[in-house]
Amino acid sequence: MDLTIGPRLSPAGGIAITGIDLAQPLTIAARDRIGTALCDHHIVVFPGQALSREQQYAFTAQFGEVERHGGHRAESKRREIAHVTANLDADGHPTDRVAAGANYRWHTDKPYYPTPPLLTTLHAVELPPAGGDTEFANTVLAYDALPPETKRRIAGLRVVFQWEAGRRNAGYYAAALPPVDHPLVRTHPETGRKALYLGNHARHVFGLPEAEGAALLDELLRHATQPHFVYVHRWRVGDLVMWDNRCLLHRAVANYEMTRYRRIMHRNVVRGTVPV
Ligand code: OGA
Ligand code: MN
């Protein structure tokens, strides 16, 4: 079986890699080809992977330090292995309540950490018969398409991110983490490309009046998530999708019968570097 890299899946990004079993350790060559594909296409899809949580963790760990999940709140006992993203209530029944949650709003993973994640892996374990997509918006293309005067206006600005903000936007209370600030325009450490860094956990802009900063972030988010910057992933069970949090926003889409069908995904994130 030879690793095969398919055509780009959309103008906004995405590529599929087949002919590889992620349950086996990667060769150095395979690891490098996946890393290059991630830099070039931002979203890498590996269809048909049968992986335990431990195997997903081991695969992800070949790309860097896998973060413990949920240091800021109560989580499952297995949090060190993988986080479960699912539409289940406390009794394990499917619910649409999660549609109000942060995953269903445009975001990048954990930008409220001083050192936010480089990449996320998400493995589709159980899916509804239709829908339950994930959308990814390419914030490099979005930055490039900004008018020069907007690029000048936002150069050097810093965004204040806070975990609590995601929950408050989504309408429920949770204890806050201290806010952190990151550049609104960050430079990808591997490609050197500039990308917008914002999303659901972004509260306002450092040094601007709060309402003005929030309005600017809203305007940029609307710009960045236009359909031509977006790749829509339509899942099949066994897909493992790896994405680059440094140059994408993403969200789950509530386009399925949430109160009837379970949608269960396993997730790991790899720690990145301080955004510059
Ligand atoms: C995540 C996430 C989206 C989805 O796990 O970080 O945003 O479609 N998931 O489940
Ligand atoms: Mn996410």
Side-chain angles (χ1 to χ4, degrees):
M1 222 166 44
D2 271 340
L3 181 156
T4 303
I5 302 187
R8 188 164 166 111
L9 295 171
S10 81
I15 199 98
I17 299 187
T18 53
I20 185 169
D21 177 3
L22 303 186
Q24 305 299 324
L26 298 175
T27 62
I28 291 170
R31 195 222 160 279
D32 286 352
R33 290 183 72 190
I34 294 168
T36 301
L38 187 71
C39 278
D40 291 346
H41 306 287
H42 321 303
I43 304 135
V44 183
V45 181
F46 299 93
Q49 298 294 329
L51 294 172
S52 67
R53 293 163 125 198
E54 290 76 10
Q55 287 168 330
Q56 181 179 353
Y57 181 99
F59 166 70
T60 308
Q62 293 169 98
F63 295 88
E65 180 194 346
V66 180
E67 285 192 7
R68 274 169 51 99
H69 185 79
H72 53 293
R73 60 183 153 155
E75 282 295 341
S76 81
K77 294 187 186 68
R78 301 184 68 180
R79 65 187 184 190
E80 71 283 1
I81 294 298
H83 176 57
V84 179
T85 299
N87 65 321
L88 302 180
D89 64 20
D91 300 324
H93 301 302
T95 171
D96 58 6
R97 277 201 20 237
V98 295
N103 274 354
Y104 287 78
R105 306 168 71 94
W106 286 110
H107 68 283
T108 177
D109 285 336
K110 300 169 186 262
Y112 42 78
Y113 284 161
T115 308
L118 184 166
L119 63 82
T120 300
T121 63
L122 198 62
H123 186 227
V125 176
E126 194 174 329
L127 294 173
D133 305 337
T134 305
E135 295 181 337
F136 297 90
N138 183 323
T139 58
V140 171
L141 294 182
Y143 174 78
D144 285 348
L146 288 171
E149 63 271 21
T150 307
K151 288 182 181 166
R152 274 196 296 277
R153 176 173 161 225
I154 66 176
L157 293 180
R158 297 185 70 82
V159 183
V160 178
F161 290 94
Q162 192 166 23
W163 180 65
E164 184 227 9
R167 292 297 162 132
R168 197 181 42 218
N169 290 344
Y172 28 90
Y173 171 79
L177 286 178
V180 302
D181 56 277
H182 295 304
L184 171 56
V185 180
R186 64 178 293 187
T187 303
H188 194 286
E190 288 170 76
T191 65
R193 302 281 298 276
K194 289 182 176 173
L196 293 171
Y197 199 54
L198 69 179
N200 186 45
H201 308 92
R203 293 183 64 159
H204 58 89
V205 175
F206 198 79
L208 289 187
E210 282 204 20
E212 189 183 332
L216 174 61
L217 293 173
D218 275 354
E219 178 194 325
L220 291 171
L221 188 70
R222 271 200 307 277
H223 165 77
T225 56
Q226 296 175 86
H228 53 284
F229 298 135
V230 172
Y231 165 68
V232 182
H233 188 66
R234 299 192 169 85
W235 294 90
R236 300 184 62 176
V237 170
D239 283 354
L240 183 134
V241 174
M242 167 188 273
W243 70 80
D244 190 335
N245 281 299
R246 301 167 296 186
C247 55
L248 295 170
L249 293 161
H250 64 277
R251 68 173 177 184
V253 186
N255 61 347
Y256 64 107
E257 286 186 72
M258 300 186 80
T259 55
R260 181 158 175 208
Y261 296 111
R262 297 165 17 129
R263 179 179 185 275
I264 300 175
M265 323 289 273
H266 290 170
R267 170 184 189 264
N268 283 128
V269 301
V270 170
R271 183 185 300 272
T273 51
V274 176
V276 288

